[in-house]
Amino acid sequence: MEEKWQRIWEEEKVYKYDWDDESRPVYSIDTPPPYPSGDFHMGNFLNWTYFDIRARYKRMRGYNVLFPQGWDCHGLPTEVAVEKARGIKKSDVPPDVFRRMCEEWIEQYIERMKQAVIRMGASVDWSTEYRTMDPDYIRKIQLSFLLLYEKDMIYKGEHPINWCPRCETAIADAEVERVHRQGNLYTIPFTVEGEEVLVATTRPIYLPACVALSVHPEDQRYTHLIGKKARVPVFGQEVPVIANDEVDPEFGTGAMMICTYGDKADVVAVARFSLPVVRLIDGKGVLLEVAGKYAGLPIAQGQKALVEDMREMGLIRAEESLDQEVGTCWRCGTPIEVVSARQWFLRTIQLTDKVVETAKAIKWYPDWMRQRLIDWATGLDWDWVLSRQRIFATPVPAWYCSKCGKIKLAKPEELPVDPKIQQPTTPCSCGSTEFTPDTDVLDTWFDSSMTCAIHAGWPDNPNWRRQFPASIHPSGQDIIRTWAYYLMVRHLALFNETPYKSVLINGMVLGEDGRKMSKSLGNFVSTPQVYEKYGADAPRQWAAAGGSTGTDIPFRWQDVEYGRRFMQKLWNAARFASMRLEDYDGGWHQPELLDRWLLSKLQATIKRVTQAMEGCDFMNATEAARNFVWHVVCDHYLEAAKSRLYGEGEPKKAAQYTLHTVLRDTLKLLAPVIPHLTEEIWRTMYDPHTSIHVSPWPQPQESLVDPEAERVGDKVVALIAAIRTEKNRRGLSLNAPLPQVTVYGGGHVADLALCSRDIRNTLKIGELELLPEEGGETPVQGLEGVGFTLHL
Ligand SMILES: [Zn+2]
Ligand SMILES: [Zn+2]
């Protein structure tokens, strides 16, 4: 049934965004273009359920909803996968051949991901589909590069960067993963005018690139050495001893070596004290000439050989193991090195205040996630390094004049351009027509951090601002520091405006055991496994109701099973209703007390669900709607109204009117979470031609709010439920007639008497005696002083 509706929705273009409609307000969703790994996992399922509930809800609220979908193709993951699958390195084949291999590789996975997104029932407008590797997408990214360069927000400069020696590329701070590992702390002697100064370091191999020795200015052990020259062991160069209040006198010996670059602290010190930069390694992480006899060795091997030699020379004075935090490449796990290189940068640091101000001004679901972005932005101390030394990515649209060296940027009309293949169409300002291409490519986040504007239609659609800023940017808590942040700085730099008006954060999906879901832990559940057994509507209920928005949510089969049982309940209720409504005239009929009781409770449910939906509180929205259907409509109302629905005349018509109204509105309340089943029922019972997903969201009607009916009705249904329970306890079938029942109504007798016919008919009671005194064999829970006796 689900796949049938997915086909029909597509055929009927139910989710098509109307680009020309000026009458309805726009709701634009900044759908993340996922990296098409081919595996649409339960984490993706959770994300897309959130986006989709939001899209469906807003559509029913009358918005013109833009729910686009793209694929983020470029980047290291694809290159690493292709290198592994083909057993080659990117440099073994010409760049265009390697690029084609990557395109083929990724294409096979896009189709699989797309099918999974369709299969979970996402209401995507597929006419918006794009790939970041499409020439047209590359054109837009390169255009934004040119515009940012014109605004002096992009520059090329020499700057320390994080470098992965395996992937041979610069990587951004956000791509560095901190891991703990066991290292060694070596104590080694420097000499200052004959005096030995011990220094503790985890990386003696950086000695050739040592440019200073630093001590705390108030450290009495060393103050007399400040300003003198220290001789570096083994390599023999002389470096200044400087006072640096960043040095922790408690760490190691209190004397630290500054190298280019052992870590980020070195970068800060080199800039602060204007120290020289010594290049120690090449792009592959191999030691250069300056390392003397160790030159030509990879850095790890060089360190091993050097430490062995130093041990023999008696230059390792102490050695202890140390738990250290090491930065590694997010893609391949290789420890990163900090090196100095000429790269392209976006001036992100100067935007930090603006990022904080904007993060505070926009809405966050949940609110406490706002601080994550602020903390990340304020903790950064380097500009965003945009260039990568890879192949499968958007090329930097630039050349260099072979004669004068000036940068030559492509012209907007030349885009998209690959400067390695094409030449500029105009000469350099010096007159030369000889150029060398910039061979760098752009960080894949540079592709995806333009989505808010590109989804809106920038730069080609003159009305793109109608869809911009995005109404909502949905993101995982793990990618706030990348995706939410890069989108923000990129659009602020280009348009001086926030790219999104609100952010919706989802947590991670955990395994059933509460640990991170992973294949190696054996707690992994794949989406096809779930679809096969339960389809999409049942696990969507798990995703919506499994935990509050923004928190980590464990996958629980029992939640999916509960979802399935709820749907069974809804289906049975709807089937019963459709039979009992066959002769319904469609009109209003004066509702009876229990009808008014139900209609009043419906209004409260509409208010509760609407409020939760407005606040992206999918858990409470789902629970409120499900509880109403299951425990109010099915458990109580249908039981109490059954006899009227099987009967004749006005009492029947009143119940028909009530059931018709209540089922219609509850289907709508459930439609964003359970889109397929609600559509199936809707088209059968209400409107065969128009989807429930474009029907208006129910509005609570104050005229139907009836506290008096609720007060009385609550008592009546409590009594009915208590008698049913007692029948069951006594082993009687629920349909078994009861010849005589005495109800001791106590102070509630007048209220109960208002519905004595319903009580009698529902429970098939032959003779119902309703007495004003208290008593009876069985007390009614929650109704003080009320009890009853079954005379069997
Ligand atoms: Zn790497
Ligand atoms: Zn020139």
Side-chain angles (χ1 to χ4, degrees):
M1 184 262 284
E2 290 181 345
E3 283 168 286
K4 171 189 78 182
W5 287 116
Q6 287 155 12
R7 268 197 313 278
I8 293 172
W9 291 333
E10 194 55 27
E11 280 162 21
E12 293 182 354
K13 298 186 169 33
V14 173
Y15 307 124
K16 180 98 181 56
Y17 177 71
D18 189 341
W19 294 91
D20 303 317
D21 184 356
E22 287 180 59
S23 62
R24 285 179 297 162
V26 168
Y27 194 80
S28 53
I29 297 173
D30 183 39
T31 324
Y35 166 68
S37 63
D39 180 23
F40 192 80
H41 52 74
M42 289 314 290
N44 298 131
F45 186 92
L46 175 76
N47 302 351
W48 264 260
T49 301
Y50 278 20
F51 316 158
D52 190 52
I53 292 175
R54 194 72 182 159
R56 289 180 185 279
Y57 170 68
K58 286 291 178 179
R59 219 176 265 120
M60 293 175 78
R61 291 301 304 239
Y63 287 82
N64 187 11
V65 172
L66 173 60
F67 187 0
Q69 187 64 65
W71 309 104
D72 190 15
C73 308
H74 283 143
L76 267 180
T78 310
E79 291 195 18
V80 173
V82 168
E83 284 178 328
K84 215 169 130 194
R86 303 229 179 201
I88 55 166
K89 296 232 17 174
K90 63 170 179 175
S91 42
D92 295 347
V93 291
D96 53 325
V97 173
F98 188 72
R99 192 183 157 88
R100 258 200 316 281
M101 287 176 177
C102 292
E103 283 170 0
E104 277 166 29
W105 177 268
I106 207 79
E107 202 59 57
Q108 58 176 331
Y109 290 121
I110 289 176
E111 194 48 35
R112 276 156 67 174
M113 291 285 273
K114 180 176 176 178
Q115 288 314 317
V117 172
I118 293 172
R119 186 64 194 83
M120 61 83 59
S123 56
V124 166
D125 175 357
W126 287 104
S127 70
T128 62
E129 189 181 3
Y130 63 92
R131 291 153 167 70
T132 60
M133 64 183 182
D134 292 342
D136 192 55
Y137 195 92
I138 291 174
R139 169 180 68 90
K140 294 167 185 171
I141 295 306
Q142 290 182 326
L143 177 64
S144 78
F145 184 96
L146 302 183
L147 296 174
L148 286 165
Y149 186 83
E150 250 170 53
K151 296 184 80 163
D152 192 31
M153 290 306 293
I154 281 181
Y155 65 97
K156 187 160 197 185
E158 174 94 22
H159 195 281
I161 47 156
N162 303 301
W163 184 268
C164 173
R166 199 223 70 92
C167 300
E168 293 175 52
T169 185
I171 61 175
D173 275 355
E175 297 167 322
V176 176
E177 255 159 35
R178 318 298 307 182
V179 297
H180 279 273
R181 65 170 199 195
Q182 214 53 35
N184 283 324
L185 187 66
Y186 304 98
T187 304
I188 56 179
F190 280 55
T191 44
V192 185
E193 295 182 351
E195 184 182 335
E196 209 172 79
V197 177
L198 294 176
V199 173
T201 176
T202 56
R203 308 195 75 186
I205 193 58
Y206 267 88
L207 285 172
C210 178
V211 290
L213 197 60
S214 67
V215 297
H216 194 276
E218 278 148 39
D219 191 338
Q220 295 303 324
R221 294 171 293 180
Y222 304 117
T223 39
H224 65 288
L225 302 177
I226 293 167
K228 296 180 175 166
K229 292 274 182 194
R231 186 172 293 280
V232 177
V234 186
F235 299 91
Q237 76 268 34
E238 288 207 315
V239 298
V241 180
I242 58 174
N244 181 359
D245 50 22
E246 297 280 312
V247 173
D248 176 8
E250 304 294 319
F251 181 81
T253 61
M256 301 271 289
M257 60 182 204
I258 296 172
C259 308
T260 52
Y261 294 99
D263 57 23
K264 275 189 148 190
D266 287 342
V267 176
V268 175
V270 165
R272 184 167 163 198
F273 300 104
S274 307
L275 297 167
V277 175
V278 178
R279 266 190 84 204
L280 179 67
I281 50 170
D282 70 6
K284 293 184 163 69
V286 171
L287 293 161
L288 296 170
E289 283 305 302
V290 68
K293 67 181 273 206
Y294 309 100
L297 290 176
I299 190 159
Q301 255 171 277
Q303 161 119 340
K304 223 168 147 192
L306 172 62
V307 167
E308 256 163 51
D309 290 347
M310 289 178 77
R311 260 195 213 110
E312 263 170 38
M313 289 187 264
L315 292 175
I316 303 279
R317 297 295 166 77
E319 195 173 331
E320 54 180 306
S321 75
L322 177 79
D323 178 44
Q324 57 178 169
E325 207 187 56
V326 180
T328 60
C329 170
W330 69 288
R331 193 59 233 165
C332 73
T334 304
I336 57 122
E337 300 293 340
V338 178
V339 301
S340 187
R342 263 186 88 66
Q343 299 283 345
W344 291 94
F345 295 90
L346 184 66
R347 295 191 197 280
T348 46
I349 296 302
Q350 71 185 49
L351 290 168
T352 300
D353 289 347
K354 185 87 187 159
V355 170
V356 172
E357 186 189 309
T358 312
K360 285 180 178 165
I362 61 173
K363 181 108 189 91
W364 290 74
Y365 306 102
D367 193 66
W368 50 274
M369 284 291 177
R370 179 196 320 269
Q371 199 57 36
R372 296 258 181 118
L373 181 66
I374 294 174
D375 289 347
W376 174 254
T378 50
L380 288 171
D381 36 31
W382 294 355
D383 280 338
W384 176 13
V385 51
L386 302 179
S387 35
R388 297 290 183 276
Q389 291 63 49
R390 300 294 305 185
I391 290 164
F392 189 47
T394 299
V396 172
W399 300 263
Y400 304 93
C401 173
S402 307
K403 208 166 133 205
C404 72
K406 231 177 114 193
I407 292 175
K408 172 86 173 171
L409 285 182
K411 303 223 170 316
E413 57 275 18
E414 292 170 351
L415 304 177
V417 71
D418 185 347
K420 294 188 285 298
I421 297 166
Q422 289 143 274
Q423 283 285 306
T425 51
T426 52
C428 175
S429 54
C430 77
S432 168
T433 52
E434 305 248 313
F435 296 93
T436 50
D438 189 313
T439 55
D440 285 353
V441 294
L442 293 161
D443 181 1
T444 179
W445 286 108
F446 198 74
D447 290 349
S448 52
S449 59
M450 268 305 278
T451 52
C452 294
I454 290 178
H455 289 158
W458 179 89
D460 308 315
N461 183 337
N463 295 324
W464 70 277
R465 286 214 166 246
R466 209 185 279 161
Q467 290 79 227
F468 183 89
S471 308
I472 199 160
H473 163 68
S475 189
Q477 49 166 269
D478 55 329
I479 51 171
I480 292 175
R481 64 180 190 167
T482 44
W483 210 42
Y485 174 73
Y486 286 145
L487 276 167
M488 180 79 89
V489 287
R490 178 77 167 285
H491 289 81
L492 285 176
L494 200 50
F495 307 115
N496 195 29
E497 193 178 339
T498 184
Y500 41 78
K501 289 183 249 184
S502 67
V503 186
L504 167 61
I505 301 292
N506 64 269
M508 302 291 103
V509 172
L510 308 174
E512 283 204 277
D513 54 3
R515 293 188 292 174
K516 192 178 148 88
M517 196 183 262
S518 95
K519 282 178 181 149
S520 61
L521 289 173
N523 60 1
F524 187 83
V525 176
S526 73
T527 43
Q529 240 178 305
V530 180
Y531 291 154
E532 211 172 286
K533 218 169 157 199
Y534 288 100
D537 277 351
R540 284 173 67 107
Q541 293 173 68
W542 154 76
S548 55
T549 301
T551 60
D552 289 346
I553 297 179
F555 178 78
R556 284 178 294 249
W557 282 108
Q558 68 196 60
D559 284 15
V560 182
E561 176 59 31
Y562 181 86
R564 193 196 64 83
R565 280 194 289 123
F566 172 75
M567 286 157 64
Q568 191 69 55
K569 194 85 188 166
L570 177 64
W571 178 249
N572 289 340
R575 203 170 46 181
F576 169 78
S578 73
M579 287 188 289
R580 296 329 324 150
L581 292 174
E582 253 170 21
D583 59 349
Y584 172 49
D585 59 16
W588 180 86
H589 296 276
Q590 179 62 51
E592 295 192 359
L593 192 138
L594 283 179
D595 301 329
R596 284 186 281 124
W597 169 80
L598 182 66
L599 289 166
S600 186
K601 287 200 178 291
L602 172 67
Q603 306 318 308
T605 306
I606 293 173
K607 281 183 206 165
R608 206 168 299 141
V609 175
T610 305
Q611 196 187 16
M613 280 290 188
E614 280 298 318
C616 292
D617 177 0
F618 308 126
M619 181 175 76
N620 283 312
T622 306
E623 289 303 0
R626 289 200 300 195
N627 285 336
F628 177 73
V629 172
W630 200 318
H631 301 303
V632 179
V633 179
C634 294
D635 285 356
H636 293 310
Y637 181 78
L638 287 184
E639 292 304 328
K642 216 171 233 172
S643 58
R644 277 195 288 146
L645 288 163
Y646 278 108
E648 295 292 337
E650 274 309 299
K652 175 181 186 171
K653 287 180 180 170
Q656 283 181 319
Y657 156 73
T658 305
L659 187 54
H660 186 265
T661 304
V662 170
L663 186 62
R664 181 194 62 210
D665 285 0
T666 39
L667 284 174
K668 291 182 177 194
L669 296 180
L670 290 164
V673 181
I674 310 177
H676 306 89
L677 184 64
T678 51
E679 180 81 318
E680 177 82 21
I681 299 170
W682 176 262
R683 299 247 194 168
T684 311
M685 291 182 65
Y686 290 93
D687 187 344
H689 306 298
T690 315
S691 172
I692 187 172
H693 300 295
V694 289
S695 72
W697 186 256
Q699 297 293 326
Q701 292 179 47
E702 286 310 314
S703 63
L704 294 177
V705 175
D706 191 336
E708 179 59 15
E710 287 205 48
R711 189 184 66 78
V712 175
D714 282 347
K715 295 179 185 181
V716 174
V717 300
L719 175 65
I720 292 174
I723 296 176
R724 280 162 55 86
T725 306
E726 180 62 13
K727 274 174 93 172
N728 189 36
R729 197 185 66 79
R730 295 213 191 171
L732 297 167
S733 92
L734 291 177
N735 275 327
L738 294 169
Q740 195 194 347
V741 177
T742 305
V743 173
Y744 298 83
H748 302 289
V749 69
D751 290 336
L752 295 173
L754 290 171
C755 292
S756 60
R757 190 206 60 206
D758 294 296
I759 298 167
R760 210 173 53 234
N761 291 348
T762 297
L763 295 162
K764 297 209 168 98
I765 296 172
E767 194 187 323
L768 175 67
E769 204 178 2
L770 202 49
L771 302 175
E773 54 262 37
E774 300 190 357
E777 283 172 9
T778 315
V780 176
Q781 292 295 320
L783 273 186
E784 185 79 38
V786 179
F788 59 87
T789 302
L790 307 184
H791 308 284
L792 298 173

